[in-house]
Amino acid sequence: MPGVWVFAETVDGVPKPVVLELLTKARSLGDAAAIALGPGASKSAATLGQYGAKKVYVHEDPAFRDVLATPAVDVLARLVETEQPDLLIFGMTYDGRDVASRLSARLGTALIANATDVTRKDGGWAIVSPMFGGSLLVTTVPKTKGPTLVLVRPKAVAAEPAGSAGAPEVQTLTDPVDSSKPVARVLRRETEKASGPKLEDATIIVSGGRGLGAPENFKMLDELAAELGAAVGASRAVVDAGWKPYSFQIGQTGKTVKPTVYIALGISGAMQHTVGMKGARTIIAINKDPEAPIFKLADLGVVGDVHKIVPQLIQEVRSRKGK
Amino acid sequence: MNVLVCVKQIPDPNAPGKLDPQTKRLVREGVDLVLDPGDEHGVEAGLQLVEKDAGEVTVISMGPPKAVDAIRRALAMGANRGILITDPALENSDAISTARAIAAAIKDLTYDVIICGTESTDGSSGAMPAQLAELLGLPLLSFAKKLEVSQGKAVIDRQTDDGYDVVEAQLPAVVTVTGGINEARYPALRGIMQAKNKDVKQVGLSEIGLDGQAGKAALTQEVVEATPAEARKAGEVVEDKGEGAKRVADFLRALKVI
């Protein structure tokens, strides 16, 4: 069985949701192991085991939390050399991307990004990634010796606990963190709280684009979202323009979402955006441009003025909820 | 303060992308080529740093000879000079080859900050800047939506899932910027005229000492298959004649979400 490792990003000992998705995939490909780094890492071992990690490497040094990428790359490079895994899977997250990219340069091995699936092929790996906003699927094979590194997009795999998982073997690492090299150090963390459900978990998402015309018009989206119990999202154009914080952004450089209903308001449907939302079960789009690409994805498209339709829709929803 | 900005020329992202069915490579013929819009923010961030504090912006790119147009665009915005790494052996390079080539080409330059976009708009793996930082042994300040440089340090606001982290590194450092960091300036006519006379140095693999170590000779991966994804079935598109909101509400009710 090939050795398949998952870079297990944890926050205070809780694995990020993407980690459980990656482990679900990893255990179907070989002997799954997880590497959890930072304070509280050992606490995550039980959950990582439930999702299929037979072995969990943990290192509790606070440097893994406070310094970007480099301490993790150091410890991974050392482990790879001694344990020789065949495949390393990372989530396509901020930290996952930095760590995997640096590690690929350190090891000189293949890094394949944006993956939505990993399969075995002719004794090697074949990695599937969407291109052009998901209209094309390309299969890439690594050509290097040594472990292949893959960055898998969040929500590409549904996380499922392993049926018969026992407690994983835990190996606690204590090797000192190299403090001689210049590093990028986190000074403080700021959160931009949004009301309502989190985008990643929401059943309904109401999302706005440049077609809203002005930042104050997001108020009607907030209102509609509140009526529907929905989360509010935004396109990159809107975030780049500073109308909404980045934590609202859906798309290639933002979040990937899979709600039951996605309501796109004034969003043209650039590939950058659609790659993050086309997994929605149902898509509703309102846009004044009948040629907008979003209408090619939408289950229901309304060609019209969002400024007129959205206030009417809020009223419609209110009156129907009363019944 | 000397700033290096890495830029890439890409097919116009507003035109639908195509892969050559034979070679499985991006079709670049017959498509408008532009400076990656993400890199315009990198050039702008570089210009703002040297405008605050004396210094120069050097723009570096890897690509076919016509990628010089992307460099000229950055020069027209105000960058001082350009370097184009171009070599037939670099065609269809992996990100790591780009990182190797840039690291080799800037070996003898002095710089305080290297700025890149977070990812190219066409390839969007976002691997190159971190690989470059690793090869140079430098810290990487990634996903910056704000950048300040003073007293030998760079401090960024780094995007996170639910906000941002304030992250600091000693110079020199590699920084990747998001589109949210600034509004990129349009080149003025004067800038466009001046750009024609600015120095753009072209170098090949042998000149940077990388013969046989980058590009075709060092491919780490190969695309073996490209298939159209199962398309979503487009649904009904209706024109709003006053009934649009009602249609949407009916639809939501049918989905049992209201």
Side-chain angles (χ1 to χ4, degrees), chain B:
Chain B
M1 163 99 46
N2 287 311
V3 181
L4 283 173
V5 182
C6 303
V7 303
K8 184 178 181 186
Q9 187 184 51
I10 63 162
D12 184 347
N14 296 315
K18 270 194 301 224
L19 278 198
D20 184 305
Q22 231 70 63
T23 64
K24 311 279 192 298
R25 278 152 51 179
L26 219 57
V27 175
R28 287 172 193 273
E29 289 72 36
V31 187
D32 281 343
L33 298 170
V34 298
L35 171 61
D36 192 318
D39 292 337
E40 291 184 14
H41 298 286
V43 175
E44 178 65 38
L47 293 173
Q48 288 184 11
L49 287 182
V50 301
E51 281 162 2
K52 220 179 272 176
D53 182 6
E56 293 195 327
V57 174
T58 301
V59 177
I60 185 161
S61 189
M62 191 185 98
K66 61 186 165 190
V68 75
D69 295 343
I71 292 179
R72 293 270 175 227
R73 167 96 187 178
L75 297 177
M77 287 172 72
N80 300 84
R81 71 179 59 75
I83 301 169
L84 175 63
I85 308 162
T86 186
D87 198 306
L90 282 169
E91 217 179 300
N92 197 29
S93 279
D94 297 340
I96 187 69
S97 276
T98 311
R100 273 188 202 133
I102 291 175
I106 65 174
K107 206 171 57 212
D108 299 323
L109 301 182
T110 56
Y111 50 82
D112 302 286
V113 184
I114 300 175
I115 300 177
C116 310
T118 47
E119 61 188 28
S120 64
T121 306
D122 60 345
S124 69
S125 77
M128 200 288 288
Q131 291 173 329
L132 178 63
E134 180 65 27
L135 294 175
L136 297 170
L138 296 181
L140 170 69
L141 295 166
S142 52
F143 305 101
K145 58 174 194 168
K146 187 176 159 198
L147 166 65
E148 274 170 10
V149 175
S150 66
Q151 296 172 334
K153 282 180 186 169
V155 179
I156 64 158
D157 286 356
R158 180 182 192 247
Q159 288 176 347
T160 60
D161 281 331
D162 49 11
Y164 61 93
D165 291 347
V166 180
V167 187
E168 176 190 84
Q170 299 279 346
L171 303 182
V174 180
V175 180
T176 71
V177 300
T178 69
I181 194 166
N182 54 40
E183 192 79 43
R185 69 193 69 183
Y186 281 104
L189 185 59
R190 187 156 159 267
I192 296 169
M193 299 310 288
Q194 284 173 340
K196 291 180 180 159
N197 297 318
K198 288 179 178 170
D199 177 40
V200 179
K201 193 167 114 189
Q202 298 209 1
V203 292
L205 276 183
S206 61
E207 285 149 292
I208 57 174
L210 276 188
D211 261 336
Q213 295 169 60
K216 281 177 197 158
L219 283 184
T220 64
Q221 54 198 272
E222 186 186 1
V223 172
V224 292
E225 209 182 313
T227 50
E230 204 179 311
R232 279 189 80 98
K233 259 195 304 184
E236 194 186 357
V237 179
V238 297
E239 198 185 329
D240 177 42
K241 294 186 176 122
E243 298 286 288
K246 197 175 162 301
R247 282 299 302 273
V248 175
D250 288 344
F251 198 79
L252 289 172
R253 167 117 300 179
L255 292 169
K256 299 193 167 68
V257 296
I258 52 172

Side-chain angles (χ1 to χ4, degrees), chain A residues 77-142:
Chain A
R78 278 199 299 271
L79 274 179
V80 163
E81 203 182 320
T82 55
E83 309 291 315
Q84 308 206 329
D86 300 283
L87 181 72
L88 269 73
I89 310 181
F90 300 77
M92 187 93 179
T93 61
Y94 306 105
D95 291 336
R97 191 143 87 164
D98 284 1
V99 172
S101 303
R102 286 197 89 118
L103 185 63
S104 75
R106 180 88 60 94
L107 301 175
T109 60
L111 168 69
I112 298 162
N114 272 317
T116 50
D117 198 10
V118 184
T119 57
R120 285 297 268 173
K121 192 181 174 184
D122 308 331
W125 306 106
I127 292 103
V128 178
S129 326
M131 273 188 89
F132 306 132
S135 58
L136 201 64
L137 292 174
V138 299
T139 304
T140 306
V141 297

Side-chain angles (χ1 to χ4, degrees), chain A residues 150-172:
Chain A
V150 181
L151 282 159
V152 174
R153 294 191 61 84
K155 304 233 169 185
V157 183
E160 276 167 36
S164 59
E169 178 194 344
V170 177
Q171 182 173 335
T172 305

